[in-house]
């Protein structure tokens, strides 16, 4: 079976959000993309407390100076499409009040006819935590755990009742309810995070940084799932952060998903062979505008399917 292919929606500073989200979402669904995705960045610190992804000295990309709200973006996409699943890759859990986020995701699922996929994580930016978090950075794992608990409660049957460190819900009716159980996807960047994934999530959201590395990570997740007695399968949506170029990238040091359409498709083929169920291709960072994003995405999709992905 071919893997599902998803596309990152235009959220960055070079796009007109009110116009371009709907345009790209419709075009992607029409060409065949099975899912549409958003990410979360809430500010661009100057100077930054830390480098990108917490790597010292690694600069933040200029496009992060303005990133549209993920749930607003998905709502625009939901109104413009009929079939594609609508995913978050990822929402930074501690930047949200758990109860309110659970209700927003449920409402979006109802509005879209049951198409939401909730990718959740803990984030890494100390500056974002300082501006917007509901708890200190050191408690980020506990906040994610509570969010998972609150979502399960709010999305479940009434009366809803819950008491945690951040959230108290007296017995109450809470609606609307999701059309179907919203799939929850989590990263697995540490032993504790991998246990949380195996024990509590429907799917895994790794970053596709090389087929060999992804295969090794996937084996470790599967081994832990077997060790902990998990019976149901783990879905996998690998995020491919692409750097598109009209000309091929030269040299042996080319990074995965960096280069021409042909090179991106070559990497899709290699990563699909690992056995993942879905690959999210985010092209928006290096396309000039929505027209180029839609055109390149269509070219990649057709070439990937022709190559057997």
């Amino acid at each position: 079976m071919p893997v599902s292919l998803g596309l990152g929606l235009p959220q960055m500073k070079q796009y007109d959000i009110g116009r371009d989200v709907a345009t790209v979402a419709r075009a992607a669904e029409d060409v065949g993309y099975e899912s549409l995705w958003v990410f979360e960045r809430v500010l661009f610190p100057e100077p930054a407390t830390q480098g990108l992804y917490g790597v010292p000295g690694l600069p933040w990309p200029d496009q992060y100076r303005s990133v549209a709200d993920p749930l607003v973006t998905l709502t625009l996409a939901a109104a413009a499409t009929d079939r594609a699943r609508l995913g978050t890759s990822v929402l930074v859990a501690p930047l949200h009040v758990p109860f309110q986020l659970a209700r927003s995701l449920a409402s979006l699922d109802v509005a879209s006819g049951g198409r939401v996929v909730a990718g959740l994580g803990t984030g890494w930016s100390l500056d974002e935590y300082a501006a917007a978090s509901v708890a200190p950075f050191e408690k980020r794992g506990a906040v994610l755990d509570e969010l998972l608990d609150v979502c399960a409660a709010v999305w479940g049957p009434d009366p809803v009742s819950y008491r945690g460190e951040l959230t108290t819900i007296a017995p109450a009716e809470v609606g609307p309810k999701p059309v179907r159980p919203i799939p929850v996807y989590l990263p697995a960047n540490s032993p504790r995070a991998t246990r949380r994934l195996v024990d509590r999530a429907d799917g895994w959201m790794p970053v596709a940084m090389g087929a060999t590395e992804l295969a090794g990570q996937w084996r470790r997740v599967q081994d832990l799932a077997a060790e902990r007695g998990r019976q149901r399968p783990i879905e996998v949506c690998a995020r491919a952060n692409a750097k598109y170029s009209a000309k091929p990238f030269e040299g042996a040091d080319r990074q995965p998903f960096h280069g021409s359409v042909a090179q991106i498709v070559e990497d899709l083929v290699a990563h699909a062979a690992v056995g993942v169920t879905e690959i999210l291709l985010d092209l928006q960072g290096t396309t000039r505008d929505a027209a180029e994003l839609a055109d390149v995405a269509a070219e990649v999709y057709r070439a990937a399917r022709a190559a057997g992905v």
Side-chain angles (χ1 to χ4, degrees), residues 15-94:
Y15 301 104
D16 181 329
I17 303 305
R19 178 191 65 208
D20 292 345
V21 171
T23 298
V24 172
R26 279 193 295 266
E29 186 177 74
D30 287 346
V31 80
Y33 281 95
E34 290 91 347
S35 56
L36 303 166
W37 297 83
V38 292
F39 74 106
E40 183 161 49
R41 286 272 73 82
V42 300
L43 49 72
F44 187 96
E46 291 189 305
T49 301
Q50 60 191 150
L52 184 69
Y53 310 131
V55 178
L58 186 63
W60 291 46
D62 188 63
Q63 294 94 335
Y64 282 5
R65 291 181 181 276
S66 177
V67 176
D69 179 89
L71 294 184
V72 171
T73 303
L74 275 191
T75 301
L76 292 169
T81 57
D82 298 310
R83 301 179 305 279
R85 285 172 293 111
L86 305 165
T88 61
S89 174
V90 295
L91 295 178
V92 181

Side-chain angles (χ1 to χ4, degrees), residues 79-184:
T81 57
D82 298 310
R83 301 179 305 279
R85 285 172 293 111
L86 305 165
T88 61
S89 174
V90 295
L91 295 178
V92 181
L95 305 185
H96 299 269
V97 175
F99 179 76
Q100 292 177 343
L101 180 57
R103 290 199 67 247
S104 294
L105 289 168
S107 295
L108 181 57
D109 191 67
V110 172
S112 65
R115 294 189 279 149
V116 169
V117 178
L120 306 170
T122 56
W124 50 267
S125 171
L126 299 177
D127 294 293
E128 290 185 334
Y129 267 74
S133 69
V134 298
F137 187 76
E138 294 73 20
K139 293 188 175 182
R140 59 194 182 280
V143 176
L144 177 54
D145 287 331
E146 180 157 328
L147 174 59
L148 295 174
D149 290 340
V150 171
C151 285
V154 168
W155 299 343
D158 293 323
V160 174
S161 180
Y162 179 82
R163 182 176 296 274
E165 185 174 346
L166 297 171
T167 312
T168 298
I169 310 172
E173 292 188 20
V174 182
K177 302 295 184 184
V179 173
R180 86 296 188 229
I182 295 176
V184 172

Side-chain angles (χ1 to χ4, degrees), residues 136-309:
F137 187 76
E138 294 73 20
K139 293 188 175 182
R140 59 194 182 280
V143 176
L144 177 54
D145 287 331
E146 180 157 328
L147 174 59
L148 295 174
D149 290 340
V150 171
C151 285
V154 168
W155 299 343
D158 293 323
V160 174
S161 180
Y162 179 82
R163 182 176 296 274
E165 185 174 346
L166 297 171
T167 312
T168 298
I169 310 172
E173 292 188 20
V174 182
K177 302 295 184 184
V179 173
R180 86 296 188 229
I182 295 176
V184 172
Y185 285 22
L186 298 175
N189 299 322
S190 68
R192 180 178 178 182
T194 307
R195 290 193 297 272
R196 182 188 291 116
L197 160 69
V198 167
D199 293 346
R200 307 201 62 183
D202 301 287
W204 174 42
M205 295 209 79
V207 177
M209 300 179 66
T212 300
E213 180 177 348
L214 180 62
Q217 293 173 336
W218 182 216
R219 282 194 298 271
R220 288 191 288 274
V221 170
Q222 291 174 304
D223 289 346
L224 184 63
E227 177 184 319
R228 296 180 75 82
R230 178 173 174 134
Q231 298 298 312
R232 59 195 176 104
I234 298 174
E235 301 294 319
V236 184
C237 180
R239 166 177 271 277
N241 295 315
K243 187 174 183 180
Y244 165 72
S245 171
K247 296 181 179 180
F249 280 19
E250 304 293 344
D253 59 347
R254 182 182 73 86
Q255 298 297 308
F257 300 101
H258 287 199
S260 65
V261 167
Q263 288 175 317
I264 291 171
V265 170
E266 177 185 327
D267 293 326
L268 283 171
V269 171
H271 285 74
V274 171
V276 300
T277 49
E278 185 163 16
I279 299 175
L280 151 62
L281 184 65
D282 199 336
L283 291 157
Q284 66 174 305
T286 49
T287 47
R288 294 185 302 270
D289 53 31
E292 184 178 39
L293 174 55
D295 288 347
V296 174
E299 189 176 352
V300 169
Y301 184 90
R302 295 185 181 109
R305 292 310 191 201
V309 175

